[in-house]
Amino acid sequence: MGLDFLILYEHTVREYESDLLLKLELERRGYTAEIRQLLDRKKLKYFTWKKPKVLVSSCMYDNEAINSHVYNNVGRCDKIVNLHWEQMLSDTQEAGDWFNMNGNAKKCVQTCWGRRTAGRLIAHGMEEKNTPVTGAVMMDFLRPEFAGYFKSKEQLCAEHGLDPAKKLHLYISSFGYASMTDAEVKELSEMAGTDFSGFAATNRVSMAETLAWFDRYLAGHPEVELVYRRHPSEWNSPALADLSQKRPNFHVIFSDSVKQWIVAADSISIWMSTAIAEVYMAGKSCHILRPAPIEHEYDPVIYAGAKYVTNYEDFAAAMAEDAPPFPIERQVIEGYFDPSPVPAYKRMADLLEQVRNEPPRDEPMGEGFTPHFNWLKFFALWGVHILFALRLEPKKVFFFHKGLAGFAQRIYGYVEKAHVPKADAKAMEARIAPFVK
């Protein structure tokens, strides 16, 4: 018996929770659904007796993505729905070709969180039937229907050794380039074909000035606990370690989701993270700290025309506000994140159900698409997954061949980072299930 829906995810933190919510809703409706990671080993059953009727992808930009994400996982399939996880872009990205879909990706169903994204894709040649507005599933956890899903401020503070009686201030960082060396920035620039050196400098200057503000403020406000939610790339930052040592009420924490911290926080500030939409959906406000201007080609368009805090005096005053107005106009943020009385996961499930039960809207694997099976990747994934199961790192196993060791170790790193243990997956599912009604 075939599978109704196969959902593929790429980044665990970004996608897995939402995918589970969607899976549970589809199962509640009587359908079968499974979740797999893009780099899971390929299995014969998904090409044959368990071939999905609908392939639900995490991204789908061009013919190569169709080949890699669809053909190499399930064979031919013309019912492809993209959850489209990258929709908060800069003006340069919105105007470019890549994020507006190329080739037969325009024939896939590209779900849109809001009307503005749908309008952009249509303006770049997509048909309206393939750009449905569903809302953003990850925002559903912040809806009133999910009250009680997150830990309370008291629970969260107790787990992290914070004083719940104090004001809990959250800072959401995006300084991913600040901890990179010039050599690392150069290597990344060469790989991407874009010079990131200027943006890296902006990261460093902005981070240094922001930390100086925190240092000065916390010195005079022992009644505040400031939680610095670091960017994944900031795992090795001497500046953060130094301020943590200097100020006992400054805490660098990465565990628990950004949404969890947003829900628990008494006040919030941010630099350029797209998590500002989650702040809005949680019914809270925040301050945008911009000690230095950000190059427009990197700044998400949702921040255009926003109100910024640009100096320490204004920052100190902002921290004293109990109920500040939201720094982005409502019509702008709701243009990118469509508001609706119906949760996005239900709207998305409606769409998937429709795609499953109706003839294909288009032929993504028709004219213009040339399928090719990647045998090297097929065998490499099997080998890496065997090594991962045995906890043997390729760099140690293939020490005699630097090129092979490096290639296998990169894949091993991706597999390790994206792996969700079965017990953890079951626990997450059990936590979400009571809210699916």
mmCIF file with all atom_site columns, all heavy atoms in Angstrom, residues 49 87 122 131 133 136 141 145 156 195 231 266 271 284 293 359 379 384 387 422:
data_model
loop_
_atom_site.group_PDB
_atom_site.id
_atom_site.type_symbol
_atom_site.label_atom_id
_atom_site.label_alt_id
_atom_site.label_comp_id
_atom_site.label_asym_id
_atom_site.label_entity_id
_atom_site.label_seq_id
_atom_site.pdbx_PDB_ins_code
_atom_site.Cartn_x
_atom_site.Cartn_y
_atom_site.Cartn_z
_atom_site.occupancy
_atom_site.B_iso_or_equiv
_atom_site.pdbx_formal_charge
_atom_site.auth_seq_id
_atom_site.auth_comp_id
_atom_site.auth_asym_id
_atom_site.auth_atom_id
_atom_site.pdbx_PDB_model_num
ATOM 1   N N   . TRP A 1 49  ? 6.620  -0.106 -3.406  1.00 0.00 ? 49  TRP A N   1
ATOM 2   C CA  . TRP A 1 49  ? 5.333  -0.342 -2.736  1.00 0.00 ? 49  TRP A CA  1
ATOM 3   C C   . TRP A 1 49  ? 4.931  0.763  -1.763  1.00 0.00 ? 49  TRP A C   1
ATOM 4   O O   . TRP A 1 49  ? 3.770  0.873  -1.398  1.00 0.00 ? 49  TRP A O   1
ATOM 5   C CB  . TRP A 1 49  ? 5.344  -1.704 -2.029  1.00 0.00 ? 49  TRP A CB  1
ATOM 6   C CG  . TRP A 1 49  ? 6.221  -1.788 -0.803  1.00 0.00 ? 49  TRP A CG  1
ATOM 7   C CD1 . TRP A 1 49  ? 5.864  -1.509 0.482   1.00 0.00 ? 49  TRP A CD1 1
ATOM 8   C CD2 . TRP A 1 49  ? 7.589  -2.195 -0.750  1.00 0.00 ? 49  TRP A CD2 1
ATOM 9   N NE1 . TRP A 1 49  ? 6.926  -1.705 1.343   1.00 0.00 ? 49  TRP A NE1 1
ATOM 10  C CE2 . TRP A 1 49  ? 8.005  -2.137 0.612   1.00 0.00 ? 49  TRP A CE2 1
ATOM 11  C CE3 . TRP A 1 49  ? 8.524  -2.610 -1.716  1.00 0.00 ? 49  TRP A CE3 1
ATOM 12  C CZ2 . TRP A 1 49  ? 9.293  -2.467 1.023   1.00 0.00 ? 49  TRP A CZ2 1
ATOM 13  C CZ3 . TRP A 1 49  ? 9.803  -2.947 -1.302  1.00 0.00 ? 49  TRP A CZ3 1
ATOM 14  C CH2 . TRP A 1 49  ? 10.177 -2.867 0.052   1.00 0.00 ? 49  TRP A CH2 1
ATOM 15  N N   . GLN A 1 87  ? 11.722 32.343 3.060   1.00 0.00 ? 87  GLN A N   1
ATOM 16  C CA  . GLN A 1 87  ? 10.869 33.373 2.467   1.00 0.00 ? 87  GLN A CA  1
ATOM 17  C C   . GLN A 1 87  ? 11.170 34.777 2.979   1.00 0.00 ? 87  GLN A C   1
ATOM 18  O O   . GLN A 1 87  ? 10.659 35.751 2.438   1.00 0.00 ? 87  GLN A O   1
ATOM 19  C CB  . GLN A 1 87  ? 9.389  33.024 2.717   1.00 0.00 ? 87  GLN A CB  1
ATOM 20  C CG  . GLN A 1 87  ? 8.959  31.729 2.061   1.00 0.00 ? 87  GLN A CG  1
ATOM 21  C CD  . GLN A 1 87  ? 7.462  31.495 2.112   1.00 0.00 ? 87  GLN A CD  1
ATOM 22  O OE1 . GLN A 1 87  ? 6.665  32.419 2.008   1.00 0.00 ? 87  GLN A OE1 1
ATOM 23  N NE2 . GLN A 1 87  ? 7.074  30.230 2.261   1.00 0.00 ? 87  GLN A NE2 1
ATOM 24  N N   . ILE A 1 122 ? 4.637  35.289 -8.637  1.00 0.00 ? 122 ILE A N   1
ATOM 25  C CA  . ILE A 1 122 ? 3.799  35.454 -9.825  1.00 0.00 ? 122 ILE A CA  1
ATOM 26  C C   . ILE A 1 122 ? 4.426  36.484 -10.772 1.00 0.00 ? 122 ILE A C   1
ATOM 27  O O   . ILE A 1 122 ? 4.445  36.302 -11.993 1.00 0.00 ? 122 ILE A O   1
ATOM 28  C CB  . ILE A 1 122 ? 2.369  35.868 -9.420  1.00 0.00 ? 122 ILE A CB  1
ATOM 29  C CG1 . ILE A 1 122 ? 1.674  34.704 -8.698  1.00 0.00 ? 122 ILE A CG1 1
ATOM 30  C CG2 . ILE A 1 122 ? 1.564  36.304 -10.642 1.00 0.00 ? 122 ILE A CG2 1
ATOM 31  C CD1 . ILE A 1 122 ? 0.360  35.085 -8.039  1.00 0.00 ? 122 ILE A CD1 1
ATOM 32  N N   . THR A 1 131 ? 1.075  29.047 -6.388  1.00 0.00 ? 131 THR A N   1
ATOM 33  C CA  . THR A 1 131 ? 1.576  29.923 -5.316  1.00 0.00 ? 131 THR A CA  1
ATOM 34  C C   . THR A 1 131 ? 0.503  30.136 -4.242  1.00 0.00 ? 131 THR A C   1
ATOM 35  O O   . THR A 1 131 ? 0.162  31.274 -3.921  1.00 0.00 ? 131 THR A O   1
ATOM 36  C CB  . THR A 1 131 ? 2.023  31.285 -5.892  1.00 0.00 ? 131 THR A CB  1
ATOM 37  O OG1 . THR A 1 131 ? 0.897  31.909 -6.527  1.00 0.00 ? 131 THR A OG1 1
ATOM 38  C CG2 . THR A 1 131 ? 3.157  31.130 -6.885  1.00 0.00 ? 131 THR A CG2 1
ATOM 39  N N   . VAL A 1 133 ? -1.369 30.735 -0.775  1.00 0.00 ? 133 VAL A N   1
ATOM 40  C CA  . VAL A 1 133 ? -1.021 31.359 0.503   1.00 0.00 ? 133 VAL A CA  1
ATOM 41  C C   . VAL A 1 133 ? -1.604 30.492 1.624   1.00 0.00 ? 133 VAL A C   1
ATOM 42  O O   . VAL A 1 133 ? -2.816 30.312 1.708   1.00 0.00 ? 133 VAL A O   1
ATOM 43  C CB  . VAL A 1 133 ? -1.564 32.799 0.586   1.00 0.00 ? 133 VAL A CB  1
ATOM 44  C CG1 . VAL A 1 133 ? -1.303 33.390 1.971   1.00 0.00 ? 133 VAL A CG1 1
ATOM 45  C CG2 . VAL A 1 133 ? -0.938 33.670 -0.501  1.00 0.00 ? 133 VAL A CG2 1
ATOM 46  N N   . ALA A 1 136 ? 2.258  30.549 7.803   1.00 0.00 ? 136 ALA A N   1
ATOM 47  C CA  . ALA A 1 136 ? 3.497  29.871 8.216   1.00 0.00 ? 136 ALA A CA  1
ATOM 48  C C   . ALA A 1 136 ? 3.209  28.910 9.367   1.00 0.00 ? 136 ALA A C   1
ATOM 49  O O   . ALA A 1 136 ? 2.816  29.333 10.453  1.00 0.00 ? 136 ALA A O   1
ATOM 50  C CB  . ALA A 1 136 ? 4.540  30.899 8.641   1.00 0.00 ? 136 ALA A CB  1
ATOM 51  N N   . PHE A 1 141 ? 2.374  27.557 16.735  1.00 0.00 ? 141 PHE A N   1
ATOM 52  C CA  . PHE A 1 141 ? 2.669  27.252 18.128  1.00 0.00 ? 141 PHE A CA  1
ATOM 53  C C   . PHE A 1 141 ? 2.514  28.474 19.037  1.00 0.00 ? 141 PHE A C   1
ATOM 54  O O   . PHE A 1 141 ? 2.465  28.346 20.259  1.00 0.00 ? 141 PHE A O   1
ATOM 55  C CB  . PHE A 1 141 ? 4.092  26.688 18.259  1.00 0.00 ? 141 PHE A CB  1
ATOM 56  C CG  . PHE A 1 141 ? 4.268  25.355 17.576  1.00 0.00 ? 141 PHE A CG  1
ATOM 57  C CD1 . PHE A 1 141 ? 4.780  25.271 16.295  1.00 0.00 ? 141 PHE A CD1 1
ATOM 58  C CD2 . PHE A 1 141 ? 3.891  24.186 18.218  1.00 0.00 ? 141 PHE A CD2 1
ATOM 59  C CE1 . PHE A 1 141 ? 4.929  24.051 15.651  1.00 0.00 ? 141 PHE A CE1 1
ATOM 60  C CE2 . PHE A 1 141 ? 4.034  22.947 17.587  1.00 0.00 ? 141 PHE A CE2 1
ATOM 61  C CZ  . PHE A 1 141 ? 4.550  22.888 16.298  1.00 0.00 ? 141 PHE A CZ  1
ATOM 62  N N   . GLU A 1 145 ? -4.590 28.814 20.594  1.00 0.00 ? 145 GLU A N   1
ATOM 63  C CA  . GLU A 1 145 ? -4.965 27.399 20.650  1.00 0.00 ? 145 GLU A CA  1
ATOM 64  C C   . GLU A 1 145 ? -3.855 26.524 21.238  1.00 0.00 ? 145 GLU A C   1
ATOM 65  O O   . GLU A 1 145 ? -4.110 25.402 21.685  1.00 0.00 ? 145 GLU A O   1
ATOM 66  C CB  . GLU A 1 145 ? -5.304 26.866 19.248  1.00 0.00 ? 145 GLU A CB  1
ATOM 67  C CG  . GLU A 1 145 ? -6.499 27.523 18.611  1.00 0.00 ? 145 GLU A CG  1
ATOM 68  C CD  . GLU A 1 145 ? -6.127 28.669 17.691  1.00 0.00 ? 145 GLU A CD  1
ATOM 69  O OE1 . GLU A 1 145 ? -5.235 29.460 18.045  1.00 0.00 ? 145 GLU A OE1 1
ATOM 70  O OE2 . GLU A 1 145 ? -6.747 28.785 16.615  1.00 0.00 ? 145 GLU A OE2 1
ATOM 71  N N   . LEU A 1 156 ? 11.268 27.785 32.922  1.00 0.00 ? 156 LEU A N   1
ATOM 72  C CA  . LEU A 1 156 ? 12.447 28.021 32.094  1.00 0.00 ? 156 LEU A CA  1
ATOM 73  C C   . LEU A 1 156 ? 13.601 28.579 32.930  1.00 0.00 ? 156 LEU A C   1
ATOM 74  O O   . LEU A 1 156 ? 14.753 28.139 32.789  1.00 0.00 ? 156 LEU A O   1
ATOM 75  C CB  . LEU A 1 156 ? 12.093 28.985 30.960  1.00 0.00 ? 156 LEU A CB  1
ATOM 76  C CG  . LEU A 1 156 ? 13.085 29.080 29.810  1.00 0.00 ? 156 LEU A CG  1
ATOM 77  C CD1 . LEU A 1 156 ? 13.219 27.738 29.094  1.00 0.00 ? 156 LEU A CD1 1
ATOM 78  C CD2 . LEU A 1 156 ? 12.643 30.151 28.813  1.00 0.00 ? 156 LEU A CD2 1
ATOM 79  N N   . ASP A 1 195 ? 31.066 38.711 -2.227  1.00 0.00 ? 195 ASP A N   1
ATOM 80  C CA  . ASP A 1 195 ? 32.025 39.208 -1.241  1.00 0.00 ? 195 ASP A CA  1
ATOM 81  C C   . ASP A 1 195 ? 31.313 39.560 0.065   1.00 0.00 ? 195 ASP A C   1
ATOM 82  O O   . ASP A 1 195 ? 30.571 40.533 0.128   1.00 0.00 ? 195 ASP A O   1
ATOM 83  C CB  . ASP A 1 195 ? 32.747 40.441 -1.798  1.00 0.00 ? 195 ASP A CB  1
ATOM 84  C CG  . ASP A 1 195 ? 33.847 40.939 -0.856  1.00 0.00 ? 195 ASP A CG  1
ATOM 85  O OD1 . ASP A 1 195 ? 34.104 40.275 0.166   1.00 0.00 ? 195 ASP A OD1 1
ATOM 86  O OD2 . ASP A 1 195 ? 34.434 42.000 -1.151  1.00 0.00 ? 195 ASP A OD2 1
ATOM 87  N N   . HIS A 1 231 ? 23.561 33.068 17.812  1.00 0.00 ? 231 HIS A N   1
ATOM 88  C CA  . HIS A 1 231 ? 23.423 32.462 16.496  1.00 0.00 ? 231 HIS A CA  1
ATOM 89  C C   . HIS A 1 231 ? 24.221 31.152 16.503  1.00 0.00 ? 231 HIS A C   1
ATOM 90  O O   . HIS A 1 231 ? 25.226 31.046 17.219  1.00 0.00 ? 231 HIS A O   1
ATOM 91  C CB  . HIS A 1 231 ? 23.978 33.432 15.437  1.00 0.00 ? 231 HIS A CB  1
ATOM 92  C CG  . HIS A 1 231 ? 23.774 32.983 14.033  1.00 0.00 ? 231 HIS A CG  1
ATOM 93  N ND1 . HIS A 1 231 ? 24.633 32.135 13.394  1.00 0.00 ? 231 HIS A ND1 1
ATOM 94  C CD2 . HIS A 1 231 ? 22.798 33.272 13.130  1.00 0.00 ? 231 HIS A CD2 1
ATOM 95  C CE1 . HIS A 1 231 ? 24.207 31.916 12.166  1.00 0.00 ? 231 HIS A CE1 1
ATOM 96  N NE2 . HIS A 1 231 ? 23.093 32.592 11.976  1.00 0.00 ? 231 HIS A NE2 1
ATOM 97  N N   . ASP A 1 266 ? 10.151 38.910 29.346  1.00 0.00 ? 266 ASP A N   1
ATOM 98  C CA  . ASP A 1 266 ? 9.413  40.124 29.720  1.00 0.00 ? 266 ASP A CA  1
ATOM 99  C C   . ASP A 1 266 ? 9.648  41.237 28.710  1.00 0.00 ? 266 ASP A C   1
ATOM 100 O O   . ASP A 1 266 ? 8.792  42.101 28.508  1.00 0.00 ? 266 ASP A O   1
ATOM 101 C CB  . ASP A 1 266 ? 9.853  40.585 31.113  1.00 0.00 ? 266 ASP A CB  1
ATOM 102 C CG  . ASP A 1 266 ? 9.487  39.587 32.194  1.00 0.00 ? 266 ASP A CG  1
ATOM 103 O OD1 . ASP A 1 266 ? 8.327  39.157 32.224  1.00 0.00 ? 266 ASP A OD1 1
ATOM 104 O OD2 . ASP A 1 266 ? 10.376 39.221 32.994  1.00 0.00 ? 266 ASP A OD2 1
ATOM 105 N N   . TRP A 1 271 ? 18.433 42.132 16.372  1.00 0.00 ? 271 TRP A N   1
ATOM 106 C CA  . TRP A 1 271 ? 19.276 42.853 15.416  1.00 0.00 ? 271 TRP A CA  1
ATOM 107 C C   . TRP A 1 271 ? 18.665 42.782 14.014  1.00 0.00 ? 271 TRP A C   1
ATOM 108 O O   . TRP A 1 271 ? 18.126 43.754 13.521  1.00 0.00 ? 271 TRP A O   1
ATOM 109 C CB  . TRP A 1 271 ? 20.700 42.288 15.419  1.00 0.00 ? 271 TRP A CB  1
ATOM 110 C CG  . TRP A 1 271 ? 21.652 43.029 14.507  1.00 0.00 ? 271 TRP A CG  1
ATOM 111 C CD1 . TRP A 1 271 ? 21.810 44.382 14.416  1.00 0.00 ? 271 TRP A CD1 1
ATOM 112 C CD2 . TRP A 1 271 ? 22.566 42.441 13.565  1.00 0.00 ? 271 TRP A CD2 1
ATOM 113 N NE1 . TRP A 1 271 ? 22.781 44.686 13.473  1.00 0.00 ? 271 TRP A NE1 1
ATOM 114 C CE2 . TRP A 1 271 ? 23.259 43.515 12.937  1.00 0.00 ? 271 TRP A CE2 1
ATOM 115 C CE3 . TRP A 1 271 ? 22.880 41.138 13.201  1.00 0.00 ? 271 TRP A CE3 1
ATOM 116 C CZ2 . TRP A 1 271 ? 24.240 43.305 11.962  1.00 0.00 ? 271 TRP A CZ2 1
ATOM 117 C CZ3 . TRP A 1 271 ? 23.863 40.931 12.231  1.00 0.00 ? 271 TRP A CZ3 1
ATOM 118 C CH2 . TRP A 1 271 ? 24.525 41.994 11.621  1.00 0.00 ? 271 TRP A CH2 1
ATOM 119 N N   . LYS A 1 284 ? 3.682  40.000 21.223  1.00 0.00 ? 284 LYS A N   1
ATOM 120 C CA  . LYS A 1 284 ? 4.624  40.799 22.006  1.00 0.00 ? 284 LYS A CA  1
ATOM 121 C C   . LYS A 1 284 ? 5.274  41.856 21.117  1.00 0.00 ? 284 LYS A C   1
ATOM 122 O O   . LYS A 1 284 ? 5.075  41.879 19.899  1.00 0.00 ? 284 LYS A O   1
ATOM 123 C CB  . LYS A 1 284 ? 5.683  39.894 22.631  1.00 0.00 ? 284 LYS A CB  1
ATOM 124 C CG  . LYS A 1 284 ? 5.108  38.919 23.653  1.00 0.00 ? 284 LYS A CG  1
ATOM 125 C CD  . LYS A 1 284 ? 6.194  38.303 24.507  1.00 0.00 ? 284 LYS A CD  1
ATOM 126 C CE  . LYS A 1 284 ? 5.588  37.545 25.677  1.00 0.00 ? 284 LYS A CE  1
ATOM 127 N NZ  . LYS A 1 284 ? 6.618  37.054 26.614  1.00 0.00 ? 284 LYS A NZ  1
ATOM 128 N N   . PRO A 1 293 ? 24.508 50.868 10.510  1.00 0.00 ? 293 PRO A N   1
ATOM 129 C CA  . PRO A 1 293 ? 23.601 50.499 9.410   1.00 0.00 ? 293 PRO A CA  1
ATOM 130 C C   . PRO A 1 293 ? 23.982 49.134 8.831   1.00 0.00 ? 293 PRO A C   1
ATOM 131 O O   . PRO A 1 293 ? 25.151 48.749 8.817   1.00 0.00 ? 293 PRO A O   1
ATOM 132 C CB  . PRO A 1 293 ? 23.821 51.614 8.378   1.00 0.00 ? 293 PRO A CB  1
ATOM 133 C CG  . PRO A 1 293 ? 24.437 52.743 9.143   1.00 0.00 ? 293 PRO A CG  1
ATOM 134 C CD  . PRO A 1 293 ? 25.259 52.110 10.223  1.00 0.00 ? 293 PRO A CD  1
ATOM 135 N N   . PRO A 1 359 ? -5.976 15.602 -9.861  1.00 0.00 ? 359 PRO A N   1
ATOM 136 C CA  . PRO A 1 359 ? -4.897 15.382 -10.840 1.00 0.00 ? 359 PRO A CA  1
ATOM 137 C C   . PRO A 1 359 ? -3.765 16.393 -10.612 1.00 0.00 ? 359 PRO A C   1
ATOM 138 O O   . PRO A 1 359 ? -3.991 17.480 -10.051 1.00 0.00 ? 359 PRO A O   1
ATOM 139 C CB  . PRO A 1 359 ? -5.593 15.638 -12.183 1.00 0.00 ? 359 PRO A CB  1
ATOM 140 C CG  . PRO A 1 359 ? -7.041 15.432 -11.907 1.00 0.00 ? 359 PRO A CG  1
ATOM 141 C CD  . PRO A 1 359 ? -7.264 15.898 -10.497 1.00 0.00 ? 359 PRO A CD  1
ATOM 142 N N   . PHE A 1 379 ? 25.685 5.476  -2.554  1.00 0.00 ? 379 PHE A N   1
ATOM 143 C CA  . PHE A 1 379 ? 26.605 4.620  -1.809  1.00 0.00 ? 379 PHE A CA  1
ATOM 144 C C   . PHE A 1 379 ? 27.300 5.376  -0.676  1.00 0.00 ? 379 PHE A C   1
ATOM 145 O O   . PHE A 1 379 ? 27.555 4.813  0.398   1.00 0.00 ? 379 PHE A O   1
ATOM 146 C CB  . PHE A 1 379 ? 27.650 4.012  -2.752  1.00 0.00 ? 379 PHE A CB  1
ATOM 147 C CG  . PHE A 1 379 ? 27.085 2.961  -3.665  1.00 0.00 ? 379 PHE A CG  1
ATOM 148 C CD1 . PHE A 1 379 ? 27.017 3.173  -5.038  1.00 0.00 ? 379 PHE A CD1 1
ATOM 149 C CD2 . PHE A 1 379 ? 26.597 1.770  -3.156  1.00 0.00 ? 379 PHE A CD2 1
ATOM 150 C CE1 . PHE A 1 379 ? 26.484 2.203  -5.884  1.00 0.00 ? 379 PHE A CE1 1
ATOM 151 C CE2 . PHE A 1 379 ? 26.057 0.781  -3.989  1.00 0.00 ? 379 PHE A CE2 1
ATOM 152 C CZ  . PHE A 1 379 ? 26.004 1.007  -5.359  1.00 0.00 ? 379 PHE A CZ  1
ATOM 153 N N   . VAL A 1 384 ? 28.237 6.373  5.083   1.00 0.00 ? 384 VAL A N   1
ATOM 154 C CA  . VAL A 1 384 ? 28.299 7.342  6.180   1.00 0.00 ? 384 VAL A CA  1
ATOM 155 C C   . VAL A 1 384 ? 27.316 6.970  7.290   1.00 0.00 ? 384 VAL A C   1
ATOM 156 O O   . VAL A 1 384 ? 27.636 7.086  8.481   1.00 0.00 ? 384 VAL A O   1
ATOM 157 C CB  . VAL A 1 384 ? 28.013 8.769  5.662   1.00 0.00 ? 384 VAL A CB  1
ATOM 158 C CG1 . VAL A 1 384 ? 27.752 9.730  6.822   1.00 0.00 ? 384 VAL A CG1 1
ATOM 159 C CG2 . VAL A 1 384 ? 29.181 9.272  4.822   1.00 0.00 ? 384 VAL A CG2 1
ATOM 160 N N   . LEU A 1 387 ? 28.796 4.261  9.375   1.00 0.00 ? 387 LEU A N   1
ATOM 161 C CA  . LEU A 1 387 ? 29.812 4.833  10.267  1.00 0.00 ? 387 LEU A CA  1
ATOM 162 C C   . LEU A 1 387 ? 29.163 5.602  11.414  1.00 0.00 ? 387 LEU A C   1
ATOM 163 O O   . LEU A 1 387 ? 29.621 5.541  12.556  1.00 0.00 ? 387 LEU A O   1
ATOM 164 C CB  . LEU A 1 387 ? 30.751 5.751  9.482   1.00 0.00 ? 387 LEU A CB  1
ATOM 165 C CG  . LEU A 1 387 ? 31.666 5.084  8.452   1.00 0.00 ? 387 LEU A CG  1
ATOM 166 C CD1 . LEU A 1 387 ? 32.487 6.132  7.711   1.00 0.00 ? 387 LEU A CD1 1
ATOM 167 C CD2 . LEU A 1 387 ? 32.597 4.080  9.129   1.00 0.00 ? 387 LEU A CD2 1
ATOM 168 N N   . LYS A 1 422 ? 14.954 8.396  17.823  1.00 0.00 ? 422 LYS A N   1
ATOM 169 C CA  . LYS A 1 422 ? 13.552 7.977  17.825  1.00 0.00 ? 422 LYS A CA  1
ATOM 170 C C   . LYS A 1 422 ? 12.839 8.363  19.117  1.00 0.00 ? 422 LYS A C   1
ATOM 171 O O   . LYS A 1 422 ? 11.677 8.764  19.098  1.00 0.00 ? 422 LYS A O   1
ATOM 172 C CB  . LYS A 1 422 ? 13.469 6.464  17.606  1.00 0.00 ? 422 LYS A CB  1
ATOM 173 C CG  . LYS A 1 422 ? 13.814 6.036  16.184  1.00 0.00 ? 422 LYS A CG  1
ATOM 174 C CD  . LYS A 1 422 ? 13.626 4.541  16.005  1.00 0.00 ? 422 LYS A CD  1
ATOM 175 C CE  . LYS A 1 422 ? 13.950 4.115  14.568  1.00 0.00 ? 422 LYS A CE  1
ATOM 176 N NZ  . LYS A 1 422 ? 13.790 2.644  14.384  1.00 0.00 ? 422 LYS A NZ  1
#
